[in-house]
Amino acid sequence: GQNIDQPTEMTATEGAIVQINCTYQTSGFNGLFWYQQHAGEAPTFLSYNVLDGLEEKGRFSSFLSRSKGYSYLLLKELQMKDSASYLCAAKHASGGSYIPTFGRGTSLIVHP
Amino acid sequence: DSGVTQTPKHLITATGQRVTLRCSPRSGDLSVYWYQQSLDQGLQFLIQYYNGEERAKGNILERFSAQQFPDLHSELNLSSLELGDSALYFCASSVDGSSYGYTFGSGTRLTVV
């Protein structure tokens, strides 16, 4: 089976940096996504890693280590609007296709 | 607007009833994925279709079924509804079954009373 673990909740201060960790155990692993989801809304794509290393995109960076089954999302210069749930998802082979399996999400609360 | 359209946005129905949720994928996307999101379970993969054919199946109940039509829109049918089926149902689309971009619709909130 597939197993994705991430912390349930994190809090941080506006302007600070926060790192959200994700560990995964999947068969046929083919890449790691991070999505942002505000309450009651659709998940929106943040980043995708398929090779080991760091991918930077503005205030958001994502890291992957395939050998360790580990990823993190780094958010810099936190803003109040960054308060949301952050979903880690591992893409893996399933039947004749590739499917992203999501973790339960990390609820990030940014306070002034 | 993500380009993925889901209707209806809200649905309230009684136990034992049957409902149909509809999804139109983003223009050019051939794959459709259905997910169920409840408060205690997170996003659970249900089923994937690619160009009209079923490609992958997740933890989809036998009471649930789906199909993708020639115009690529998809429908998720939920029957013999139970209180526990109350959830947000999301559809996502991608260009093909293995591309890395998955775009989500705004979801259908189903409430079973």
Side-chain angles (χ1 to χ4, degrees):
Chain A
Q2 323 298 329
N3 192 42
I4 317 289
D5 283 320
Q6 52 181 130
T8 303
E9 187 175 293
M10 298 181 71
T11 59
T13 306
E14 191 176 16
I17 300 172
V18 70
Q19 177 175 313
I20 303 174
N21 296 323
C22 170
T23 58
Y24 64 89
Q25 291 175 308
T26 65
S27 54
F29 175 79
N30 194 250
L32 195 290
F33 297 92
W34 284 95
Y35 277 79
Q36 180 191 61
Q37 186 180 26
H38 286 96
E41 298 183 7
T44 55
F45 172 82
L46 289 178
S47 69
Y48 174 69
N49 295 69
V50 64
L51 300 175
D52 285 1
L54 188 68
E55 294 278 345
E56 297 187 79
K57 191 187 289 186
R59 295 190 298 116
F60 291 44
S61 302
S62 57
F63 171 83
L64 177 66
S65 168
R66 294 176 70 122
S67 61
K68 295 182 179 178
Y70 167 71
S71 173
Y72 68 73
L73 179 70
L74 194 71
L75 293 77
K76 304 174 188 174
E77 301 170 14
L78 281 171
Q79 302 175 8
M80 299 297 289
K81 68 178 182 179
D82 296 329
S83 293
S85 183
Y86 291 85
L87 310 177
C88 169
K91 188 171 79 166
H92 58 90
S94 178
S97 189
Y98 286 96
I99 298 299
T101 292
F102 286 80
R104 295 194 177 193
T106 298
S107 179
L108 174 65
I109 301 168
V110 180
H111 55 82
Chain B
D1 181 5
S2 68
V4 178
T5 304
Q6 287 189 249
T7 57
K9 291 196 184 307
H10 302 277
L11 200 49
I12 301 175
T13 189
T15 54
Q17 295 299 303
R18 173 190 168 93
V19 297
T20 297
L21 312 184
R22 182 188 169 104
C23 168
S24 293
R26 199 176 52 166
S27 178
D29 287 358
L30 300 179
S31 263
V32 169
Y33 307 76
W34 285 98
Y35 284 84
Q36 179 193 57
Q37 187 175 42
S38 52
L39 281 174
D40 58 344
Q41 289 294 322
L43 268 171
Q44 297 289 309
F45 169 67
L46 297 177
I47 197 163
Q48 179 212 358
Y49 279 82
Y50 173 73
N51 204 20
E53 294 187 1
E54 181 184 307
R55 270 290 175 91
K57 221 168 186 178
N59 298 322
I60 187 167
L61 299 172
E62 285 192 12
R63 301 183 285 110
F64 295 2
S65 65
Q67 54 185 325
Q68 186 179 30
F69 295 86
D71 67 352
L72 300 178
H73 92 271
S74 177
E75 293 181 356
L76 179 67
N77 301 297
L78 316 176
S79 62
S80 303
L81 284 168
E82 302 174 0
L83 295 177
D85 297 328
S86 296
L88 260 173
Y89 290 84
F90 285 106
C91 164
S93 72
S94 69
V95 172
D96 60 41
S98 61
S99 72
Y100 65 82
Y102 302 89
T103 304
F104 282 81
S106 57
T108 294
R109 181 173 292 282
L110 173 66
T111 303
V112 183
V113 297

